[in-house]
């Protein structure tokens, strides 16, 4: 890829950081994919959120990237940082001793522009596929006392409900990159989440109907990259293995 | 030209918007939700601590009910809220919490038997009842008499958002992402939908609907230091203001949260103090009990934030390269509690500051300083959620001034408001859709699209100039708001802010963009958003200048008293001349003689700082007389409440809420 742009700002007094960032707008006929280079000064406690905004405000007003909460909670800012999928808002520049950082958009998702990708549609398809909602035949009267749930069971469901759909498990998954219809660790974790929820009445056979194939629970090659990169430290491998054992017994 | 039709159009895909959409969709209406981002990334996800709801399952919540929640909310608001709305809210909140449990929110549950907790910095054992085992738990929060804040560790907003979003997906409400509201389609005094920009293709589209609901969240990003997500820019409220008809209520009522972490401004939940954490100064001294002997670290947010700044002004702040701060100490809660119940807080502290708050002693203390957190003000609505000025236009959640919060919102009342208002406003909006047709000339819709296209082209065509960039203008606005429209306000500096913001508004109307692409283009987006943000900033600053009293979060150093004699009124802002650089400001009276709870001292904050209104005492006597008479007649609390201040709710939301041990009493 051609490197076309080098821009420098000296705002701040810290060490020099060099960013190489993919720039490309697939909807602009004049845009060609290329790496742009930017140098900025590091500030104390700098994250990629701070750095990218500094680049946009001082050097390149049309650099596209996505942040929402900038606190590691919403899952908007997954990107490839020196080849690893990470949440940019939680990534500190201080963790890159040579000061060289290359940013690319996450693979497996459609590119909007530069570092901005469409994760929403992918996650929506996943949600439809695993029927990501409580299936219950009970009509509970909401003015009455709620149904009790064992405190440990509630905690176990919460543990898996912590997924933020950032797409990092998908971007780091070999199966997902080879088969676009693979439901991903995010989808399999979601199945495990509802399986553990006392409010959901679905059985193993129901879950088998949804993900009992090579695009689902049997597609995982157990390479563990999803768990290695999950920013919420979800027990993805354990839960995928658990669901696979359960669903392998169906029929 | 893309024109889409639906029954109910919801703009904003956070908790409030999604809950409205579920309501209208489940009532058989074709519903579309527009969102700037994938809906599960909305700022609702960042709510950590919990949702207030008087379930009274935990032993520390015993005796709680709607009346206690109501009183806490009204005091919290510093008597600025609409008490009818507060009643609607507290009555529906328990139902909302229980409904969310059925939708899959994994509320933390009560465990029977002894449990060690920290109260007033002391380890204490409480014993949960056998029959409460497995019911929804609650934690303590600021400004509340009971432990009432239901939670899922410190990721409550996240689990609630996923629960409601999953429900919306189940119901097949259509969700269109990366769509930005540009302008409302208003003809006469009726709203017919919105003109929207697709952020990917740049295309201008129209969504035509029977009713439109704005649920676009708060406007925190008009400030430089804010806990709010970067998308909370107030452009939804600005679009409403730009109709020239609809109004904003109390824009000057801005909340500053006591404990965002320094320097990133990321929120650390009030649950930190609710669970027993304390504030310390440069000497490691716990100072809040000196200021607030009764509520200590858990007075309402406006009071704690002001006390902290007061303490820093006394020279007790901790110096740092990012300015002075204080310490939040949760290490006294113990590692086990922190790793389980304050997990995201720990993760934030470790990631952004390299501090493990579970480390004992000063090593684990977290640097905190108050920062902008919440807008109590917003689009003025009736209790039904409908705009007071435009038919068919609704608003709810933080975007609205429904007026649950008055001049200060209690922690835990905002996520609660989103779902409760979603249920109520969604219901009234569905009724509206059932009663009305779409009867607009499509030529007007096409003209609206063309006008917006022309506006964006005009921005792209602006000649390059040497002055401030749109980013410079935005940054300057944010700094002015931080410095001059912050926790402590003064007439002189507010006037400076208003003057300078007007100049910025003029400059923003001429700002050029370098990259001329009409599609995904962050600079172009700023160029049309910043003038909108400036209108909101001006509404806040100008209303703050005109309100010559101190109430709740609005504190004037030149008018330090709460003035019930002259200021029992809600600020109403309209922007009818698009070329103007200031809005028109009017007022709506708050009728003391209709209040269930007439103005009095809050029980925290500075004493003797009220300019009394004689009507307060008169109404208090009247209320007391009615109460005594009805009690003598053997009437229950519901009948007494009804006699004091009647209110209505849709659906079966007014049904009595069952509680452990007391049934429906």
């Amino acid at each position: 890829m051609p490197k076309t742009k080098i821009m420098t700002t000296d705002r701040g007094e810290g060490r020099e950081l060099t960013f190489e960032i993919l720039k490309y707008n697939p909807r602009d006929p004049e845009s060609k994919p290329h790496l742009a280079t930017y140098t900025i000064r590091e500030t104390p406690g700098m994250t990629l959120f701070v750095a990218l905004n500094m680049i946009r405000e001082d050097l390149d007003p049309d650099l596209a990237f996505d942040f929402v909460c900038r606190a590691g909670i919403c899952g908007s800012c997954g990107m490839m940082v020196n080849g690893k999928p990470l949440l940019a808002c939680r990534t500190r520049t201080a963790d890159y001793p040579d000061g060289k950082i290359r940013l690319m958009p996450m693979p497996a998702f459609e590119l909007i522009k530069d570092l901005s990708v469409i994760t929403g549609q992918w996650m929506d398809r996943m949600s439809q596929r695993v029927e990501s909602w409580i299936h219950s035949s009970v009509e509970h009267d909401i003015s009455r006392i709620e149904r009790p749930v064992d405190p440990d069971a509630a905690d176990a469901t919460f543990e898996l409900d912590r997924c933020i759909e950032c797409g990092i498990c998908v971007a780091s998954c070999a199966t997902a990159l080879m088969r676009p219809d693979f439901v991903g660790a995010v989808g399999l974790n979601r199945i495990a989440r509802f399986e553990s929820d006392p409010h959901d009445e679905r059985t193993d056979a129901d879950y088998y109907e949804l993900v009992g194939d090579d695009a689902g629970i049997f597609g995982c090659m157990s390479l563990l990259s999803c768990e290695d990169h999950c920013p919420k430290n979800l027990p993805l491998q354990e839960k995928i293995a658990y669901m696979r054992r359960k669903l392998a017994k169906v029929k | 030209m893309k024109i889409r039709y639906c029954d109910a159009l919801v703009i904003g895909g956070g908790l409030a918007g999604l809950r409205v959409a579920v309501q209208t969709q489940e009532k058989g209406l074709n519903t579309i939700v527009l969102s700037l981002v994938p809906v599960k990334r909305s700022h609702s996800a960042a709510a950590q601590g919990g949702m207030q709801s008087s379930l009274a399952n935990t032993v520390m919540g015993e005796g709680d009910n709607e009346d206690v929640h109501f009183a806490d909310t009204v005091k919290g608001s510093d008597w600025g809220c609409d008490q009818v709305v507060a009643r609607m809210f507290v009555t529906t909140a328990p139902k909302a919490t229980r409904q969310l449990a059925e939708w899959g929110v994994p509320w933390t549950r009560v465990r029977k038997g002894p449990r060690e907790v920290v109260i007033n910095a002391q380890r204490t054992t409480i014993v949960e009842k056998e029959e409460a085992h497995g019911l929804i738990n609650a934690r303590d929060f600021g400004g509340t008499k009971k432990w009432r804040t239901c939670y899922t560790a410190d990721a409550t907003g996240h689990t609630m958002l996923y629960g409601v979003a999953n429900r919306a997906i189940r119901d097949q409400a259509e969700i269109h992402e990366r769509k930005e509201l540009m302008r409302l389609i208003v003809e006469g005094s009726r709203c017919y939908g919105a003109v929207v920009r697709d952020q990917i293709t740049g295309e201008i589209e129209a969504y035509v609907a029977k009713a439109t609901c704005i649920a676009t969240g708060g406007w925190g990003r008009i400030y430089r230091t804010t806990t709010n997500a970067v998308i909370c820019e107030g452009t939804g409220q600005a679009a409403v203001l730009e109709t020239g008809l609809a109004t904003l209520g109390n824009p000057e009522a801005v909340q500053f949260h006591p404990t965002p972490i320094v320097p990133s401004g990321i929120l650390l939940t009030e649950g930190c103090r609710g669970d027993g954490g304390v504030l310390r100064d440069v000497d490691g001294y716990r100072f809040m009990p000196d200021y607030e002997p009764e509520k200590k670290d858990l007075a309402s947010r406006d009071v704690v934030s002001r006390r902290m700044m007061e303490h820093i002004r006394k020279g007790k702040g901790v110096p740092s390269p990012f300015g002075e701060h204080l310490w939040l100490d949760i290490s006294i809660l113990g590692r086990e509690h922190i790793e389980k119940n304050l997990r995201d807080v720990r993760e934030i502290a470790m990631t952004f500051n390299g501090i493990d708050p579970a480390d004992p002693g000063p090593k684990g203390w977290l640097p905190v300083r108050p920062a902008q957190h919440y807008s109590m003000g917003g689009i003025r609505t009736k209790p039904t959620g409908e705009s007071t000025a435009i038919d068919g236009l609704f608003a709810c959640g933080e975007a609205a001034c429904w007026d649950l919060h008055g001049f200060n919102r209690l922690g835990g009342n905002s996520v609660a408001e989103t779902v409760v208002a979603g249920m109520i406003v969604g219901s009234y909006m569905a009724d509206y859709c059932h009663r009305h047709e779409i009867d607009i000339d499509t030529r007007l819709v096409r003209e609206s699209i063309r006008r917006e296209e022309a506006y964006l082209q005009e921005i792209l065509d602006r000649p390059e100039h040497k002055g401030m960039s749109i980013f410079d203008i935005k940054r300057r606005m944010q700094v002015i708001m931080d410095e001059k429209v912050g926790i402590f306000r003064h007439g002189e500096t507010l006037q400076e802010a208003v003057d300078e913001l007007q100049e910025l508004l003029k400059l923003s109307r001429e700002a050029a963009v370098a990259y001329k692409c009409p599609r995904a283009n962050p600079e172009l987006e700023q160029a049309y958003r910043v003038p909108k943000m400036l209108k909101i900033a001006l509404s806040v600053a100008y209303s703050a200048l005109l309100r010559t009293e101190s109430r709740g979060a609005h504190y004037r150093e030149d008018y330090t008293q709460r003035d019930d004699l002259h200021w029992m009124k809600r600020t109403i802002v309209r922007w009818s001349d698009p070329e103007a650089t200031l809005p028109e400001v009017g007022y709506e009276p708050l009728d003391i003689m209709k209040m269930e709870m007439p103005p009095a001292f809050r029980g925290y904050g500075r004493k003797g700082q009220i300019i009394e209104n004689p009507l307060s005492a008169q109404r208090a006597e009247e209320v007391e007389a009615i109460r005594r008479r009805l009690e003598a007649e053997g009437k229950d609390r519901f009948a007494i409440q009804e006699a004091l201040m009647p209110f209505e709710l849709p659906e079966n939301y007014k049904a009595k809420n069952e509680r452990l041990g007391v049934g429906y009493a």
Side-chain angles (χ1 to χ4, degrees), chain B residues 222-502:
Chain B
I222 61 171
Y223 285 82
R224 188 75 181 155
T225 317
T226 172
T227 62
N228 284 194
V230 300
I231 54 173
C232 301
E233 298 191 310
T235 51
Q237 289 95 334
V240 168
L241 208 49
E242 286 177 344
T243 61
L245 298 171
T247 57
L248 303 183
N250 285 344
E252 70 272 36
V254 176
Q255 178 166 84
F256 300 85
H257 194 288
T259 62
I261 200 163
V262 175
S264 63
I266 295 171
L267 178 69
L268 303 178
T269 173
E270 185 159 305
C272 292
R273 284 171 292 130
D275 287 4
V278 297
L279 294 165
R280 297 187 188 280
D281 65 14
V282 66
D283 306 318
Y285 176 70
R286 183 184 174 206
F287 58 92
M288 277 307 294
D290 295 352
Y291 294 103
E292 295 294 331
E294 197 201 327
K295 295 296 292 181
K296 304 181 179 71
D297 301 85
L298 279 177
S300 62
R301 288 176 178 175
D302 57 329
V303 170
V304 177
S305 288
R306 261 194 309 273
R307 296 302 198 187
M308 289 169 73
M309 296 311 289
E310 203 177 326
H311 203 62
I312 288 177
R313 283 177 167 189
K314 283 184 186 164
K316 293 295 181 184
V318 185
S320 88
F322 309 102
E324 287 180 285
H325 63 77
L326 294 159
W327 299 113
L328 173 64
D329 176 8
I330 59 170
S331 68
I332 55 174
L333 306 180
R335 183 167 293 276
E336 191 190 335
H337 180 91
I338 292 169
E339 287 183 356
K340 180 161 187 280
N341 288 310
L342 296 169
R343 186 168 173 166
D344 278 4
V345 164
R346 178 165 177 263
E347 203 173 284
I348 287 165
M350 290 179 67
T351 306
F352 295 95
N353 292 65
I355 299 171
D356 181 353
D359 282 346
K363 203 174 162 219
W365 295 354
L366 303 169
V368 293
R369 185 174 54 224
Q372 196 284 342
H373 180 59
Y374 188 83
S375 19
M376 275 78 72
I379 301 157
R380 181 70 189 126
T381 71
K382 305 171 194 170
T384 56
E386 195 174 8
S387 161
T388 46
I390 297 183
D391 295 341
L393 177 65
F394 292 76
C396 74
E398 191 176 347
C401 180
W402 191 28
D403 220 355
L404 171 61
H405 309 300
F407 277 79
N408 175 68
R409 171 177 72 75
L410 291 185
N413 261 357
S414 70
V415 274
E417 181 191 15
T418 62
V419 286
V420 168
M423 292 163 77
I424 296 170
V425 175
S427 207
Y428 285 123
M429 183 167 156
D431 289 349
Y432 185 93
C433 290
H434 284 129
R435 288 198 316 270
H436 291 82
E437 298 300 329
I438 297 174
D439 48 7
I440 185 176
D441 188 338
T442 51
R443 198 182 43 198
L444 291 170
V445 178
R446 285 201 305 275
E447 277 167 16
S448 298
I449 293 178
R450 280 206 197 92
R451 203 163 44 232
E452 214 53 35
E453 287 171 340
Y455 171 58
L456 292 183
Q457 195 55 49
E458 183 268 313
I459 294 177
L460 289 170
D461 291 346
R462 285 176 194 164
E464 220 169 308
H465 67 116
K466 292 274 185 293
M468 292 168 89
S469 77
I470 198 69
F471 296 105
D472 296 333
I473 294 171
K474 183 178 181 181
R475 198 154 41 207
R476 184 64 205 144
M477 165 190 72
Q478 293 172 325
V479 170
I480 294 169
M481 294 304 287
D482 271 12
E483 290 176 355
K484 299 180 178 175
V485 199
I487 295 180
F488 294 114
R489 300 172 175 180
H490 192 284
E492 271 173 40
T493 38
L494 286 168
Q495 184 64 57
E496 287 168 18
V498 169
D499 294 344
E500 211 181 328
L501 289 168
Q502 290 184 83

Side-chain angles (χ1 to χ4, degrees), chain A residues 57 66-68 70 74 76 90 92 119 132 143 145-147 149 152 159 161-163 165 193, chain B residues 40-41 57 98 102 104 109 111 134 136 158 162 166 178 226 229-230 343 347 351 475 519 658:
Chain A
E57 288 178 18
D66 293 320
F67 288 97
V68 177
R70 56 79 170 92
C74 75
S76 298
R90 299 201 335 177
R92 283 170 300 209
T119 51
S132 172
S143 57
I145 291 176
E146 64 276 14
R147 295 192 274 166
V149 173
D152 292 327
E159 185 65 26
D161 203 45
R162 290 167 48 248
C163 168
E165 294 190 0
R193 179 242 174 273
Chain B
K40 286 174 177 168
R41 313 221 184 287
N57 292 322
R98 288 165 168 167
E102 293 292 317
R109 302 283 171 150
R111 194 182 300 274
I136 296 169
H158 165 84
Y162 273 56
N166 283 334
R178 296 195 187 256
T226 172
V230 300
R343 186 168 173 166
E347 203 173 284
T351 306
R475 198 154 41 207
R519 291 171 286 275
E658 190 188 15

Side-chain angles (χ1 to χ4, degrees), chain A residues 19-31:
Chain A
F19 285 85
E20 288 186 314
I21 302 177
L22 179 93
K23 291 214 67 186
Y24 179 44
N25 185 346
R27 284 163 197 82
D28 182 349
E30 288 173 22
S31 173

Side-chain angles (χ1 to χ4, degrees), chain B residues 35-82:
Chain B
S35 177
L36 281 175
V37 295
V39 291
K40 286 174 177 168
R41 313 221 184 287
S42 304
H43 187 51
S44 305
Q48 297 169 356
M51 153 167 188
Q52 281 206 48
S53 165
S54 60
L55 298 182
N57 292 322
T58 166
V59 68
M60 299 304 287
E62 253 175 46
D64 200 9
N65 60 29
E66 298 83 4
D67 297 354
V68 189
H69 191 182
F70 172 77
D72 284 346
T73 301
V74 173
K75 287 180 197 166
S77 80
D78 221 354
W79 277 272
C81 74
D82 181 336

Side-chain angles (χ1 to χ4, degrees), chain B residues 58 67 111 113 146 151 172 191 214 255 262 289 332 339 354 490 505 513 549 653:
Chain B
T58 166
D67 297 354
R111 194 182 300 274
K146 304 283 178 186
Y151 63 101
Q172 298 184 316
C191 178
I214 310 288
Q255 178 166 84
V262 175
I332 55 174
E339 287 183 356
H490 192 284
L505 179 58
V513 296
E549 67 152 354
Y653 297 157

